Amino acid sequence: MEPRRTAVLISGTGTNLQALIDATAGGDHPARIVLVISNREGAGGLERAARAGIPTRVIPSARFETRGAFDTALDTALREAEVDLVCLAGFMRVLGQDFVARWRDRMLNIHPSLLPAFRGLETHARVLEAGLPVTGCTVHFVRPEIDEGPVLVQGVVPVFPEDDVETLNARVLEVEHRCYPRALEMVAAGRISVIDERAVLAGERPFERLVLHPSLQEATR
Ligand code: GAR
């Protein structure tokens, strides 16, 4: 099967983009990144894409008068590049209902918490405030409601008493970088069906949709 043509949408540093670039660069991943779009000029991820020889576009959301006009420009760029799948990777712009409907079950997002807990922003600060022993990340299909949709893969990390937002963010990012390529692989390979708004993985093996931070693997051994 031809690799699925994939676009990655970013707003910032793009470490998840980098993980996706690295995972799909070899010949054996069922997705290929054909376009990176940023809604912010100067986003660090644009450099990463350029270094990997991937075409980039900047569609500055701040310059559009309405959400609809921005979404249309985005959709046009995706269609021009004959994109099959879209990965939101630190894309900090809410997409409208029509756009989300058009890309239903073909658009993935990564969120830095174990959804459905801690939707929205400042997830790590809220986890620390709640005094929880674990947190993590979630890759899911996008729905119009923010941070909702069938869950594909989750990564789990411990929270240590001495953690602050920065240390926790770094630990969660480590598992994000393993979860996102894995989720994209499942979707691109056509192994995921959505049944009753749950993602079902064909031939699922134990723990295939779960990634543990290395410190947890050691602690639970
Ligand atoms: C990641 O932690 C991602 O989960 C988060 O932004 C960061 C982007 O980092 N996404 C959201 O908060 C979406 N609501 P990156 O640019 O280094 O990939």
Side-chain angles (χ1 to χ4, degrees):
M1 202 169 95
E2 280 290 298
R4 308 286 281 160
R5 296 174 63 81
T6 302
V8 184
L9 273 50
I10 60 164
S11 302
T13 324
T15 64
N16 277 289
L17 165 66
Q18 188 68 55
L20 292 169
I21 289 173
D22 294 345
T24 55
D28 55 353
H29 197 285
R32 184 157 56 93
I33 302 172
V34 295
L35 179 63
V36 170
I37 301 178
S38 171
N39 70 318
R40 288 191 192 142
E41 275 152 314
L46 291 166
E47 271 290 310
R48 297 177 187 273
R51 233 179 289 137
I54 298 167
T56 58
R57 296 272 303 258
V58 177
I59 304 180
S61 46
R63 298 225 196 120
F64 287 79
E65 290 205 347
T66 63
R67 187 198 303 282
F70 171 73
D71 287 0
T72 301
L74 202 55
D75 193 55
T76 303
L78 296 171
R79 281 165 192 262
E80 277 172 8
E82 297 179 0
V83 163
D84 302 309
L85 299 172
V86 176
C87 291
L88 308 182
F91 184 70
M92 305 309 272
R93 166 91 190 185
V94 176
L95 295 160
Q97 290 213 6
D98 290 349
F99 183 92
V100 173
R102 231 170 289 138
W103 291 92
R104 189 180 175 93
D105 298 344
R106 296 189 296 148
M107 180 159 60
L108 293 68
N109 180 46
I110 189 156
H111 180 77
S113 78
L114 292 171
L115 291 174
F118 302 102
R119 296 186 175 113
L121 301 173
E122 315 286 345
T123 54
H124 304 315
R126 288 186 284 143
V127 164
L128 291 169
E129 172 68 25
L132 301 179
V134 296
T135 185
C137 69
T138 305
V139 185
H140 62 98
F141 278 136
V142 176
R143 292 294 182 261
E145 303 75 29
I146 292 172
D147 300 327
E148 281 217 14
V151 169
L152 300 163
V153 173
Q154 289 192 307
V156 179
V157 310
V159 183
F160 298 127
E162 61 274 21
D163 271 327
D164 56 23
V165 167
E166 205 173 308
T167 57
L168 194 50
N169 181 50
R171 198 173 306 121
V172 171
L173 275 172
E174 278 182 61
V175 290
E176 289 191 34
H177 300 159
R178 288 166 54 211
C179 287
Y180 217 162
R182 191 180 293 193
L184 177 60
E185 183 173 3
M186 290 169 181
V187 174
R191 293 181 62 207
I192 297 283
S193 327
V194 177
I195 299 169
D196 293 334
E197 275 301 84
R198 292 175 52 181
V200 177
L201 177 65
E204 180 168 353
R205 294 179 287 274
F207 309 119
E208 204 176 353
R209 301 203 294 143
L210 166 66
V211 169
L212 290 183
H213 186 268
S215 60
L216 279 175
Q217 286 168 340
E218 275 159 34
T220 53
R221 202 169 277 155

